[in-house]
Amino acid sequence: EQFITEKQLQDAEKTKAFPIELTRQLRLFLFSDGSMTRNLTMITNQKIATEVLKETEILEKDKISKVARIQQKELDQLTTPLVQREVLLKDSDGNILEYALSLWPQDQYDAVMKNKKDAIGNNMTAARLEYFREINGAAVVKDSTVAELMKSSESVLLRTYFIYKGGASKSSH
């Protein structure tokens, strides 16, 4: 598993050190601080549906999904209990476009996620919350469970980021 920051990504692509080639569009997608659901809507010109796979209460940080543990330093900033939310984003034809996993302090999750069947960004917009995403980087990880959901090889490309409101971390993705 390799974690890479935006600067390292630029350097790695010049030397071809990154395990996969990333197009400009994919780099923009990964390192944009915008809503992934909104980005997918714009790219596909379709309504994007959120299918909630599961929401798990996490009382001990060692129970966090392997995929989410790639940035341990950032995870250490979150306080338990946490909610680990896993969703699939699908286009109007039912094609899976993305798997997403988020970690939230329970109290903040309950305050923001009023419509738990909807995307995070849509909930924040509905609540008129101003927020900022700090993109930590991207990684290629081997996760057979996620790969099976996405109907892809075992290597999965992911990005990690924190959402801040008023300078305080809201969640990790």
Side-chain angles (χ1 to χ4, degrees):
E1 296 176 2
Q2 178 182 359
F3 185 78
I4 189 165
T5 65
E6 186 173 11
K7 168 78 170 85
Q8 290 169 323
L9 174 63
Q10 293 166 355
D11 295 342
E13 286 193 326
K14 288 176 192 169
T15 62
K16 304 293 183 205
F18 200 59
I20 61 171
E21 186 175 325
L22 298 176
T23 64
R24 283 186 179 175
Q25 293 86 349
L26 190 51
R27 285 195 313 264
L28 178 65
F29 215 56
L30 281 172
F31 290 99
S32 163
D33 66 354
S35 160
M36 189 61 71
T37 305
R38 188 168 294 136
N39 290 343
L40 288 170
T41 299
M42 292 173 63
I43 289 171
T44 64
N45 201 30
Q46 296 182 33
K47 180 171 175 32
I48 303 302
T50 303
E51 178 185 327
V52 179
L53 299 174
K54 61 183 168 181
E55 293 176 341
T56 308
E57 181 179 41
I58 306 287
L59 299 175
E60 300 170 24
K61 289 186 182 177
D62 64 343
K63 304 292 186 210
I64 293 171
S65 168
K66 174 188 165 198
V67 172
R69 279 189 256 150
I70 194 155
Q71 279 295 85
Q72 190 62 47
K73 184 180 93 176
E74 283 76 12
L75 290 177
D76 290 343
Q77 296 176 39
L78 298 175
T79 57
T80 54
L82 298 169
V83 174
Q84 179 173 287
R85 181 177 193 249
E86 296 176 70
V87 302
L88 294 175
L89 299 180
K90 297 180 174 183
D91 66 16
S92 55
D93 296 326
N95 297 310
I96 298 170
L97 303 176
E98 181 181 317
Y99 163 85
L101 181 147
S102 58
L103 291 166
W104 295 71
Q106 179 78 53
D107 60 335
Q108 294 171 8
Y109 183 78
D110 293 339
V112 172
M113 295 299 294
K114 299 301 182 192
N115 180 354
K116 292 182 172 57
K117 293 182 180 180
D118 204 355
I120 293 168
N122 293 344
N123 274 279
M124 290 183 160
T125 299
R128 302 271 190 246
L129 294 176
E130 291 186 49
Y131 56 92
F132 166 76
R133 278 186 183 86
E134 177 186 13
I135 309 299
N136 296 318
V140 174
V141 297
K142 292 197 180 296
D143 188 299
S144 57
T145 304
V146 174
E148 186 177 316
L149 286 169
M150 298 296 297
K151 298 177 175 75
S152 68
S153 68
E154 275 198 35
S155 293
V156 179
L157 180 64
L158 62 83
R159 73 176 185 167
T160 65
Y161 60 89
F162 271 87
I163 295 177
Y164 292 93
K165 178 182 181 295
S169 178
K170 284 289 180 198
S171 66
S172 172
H173 303 272

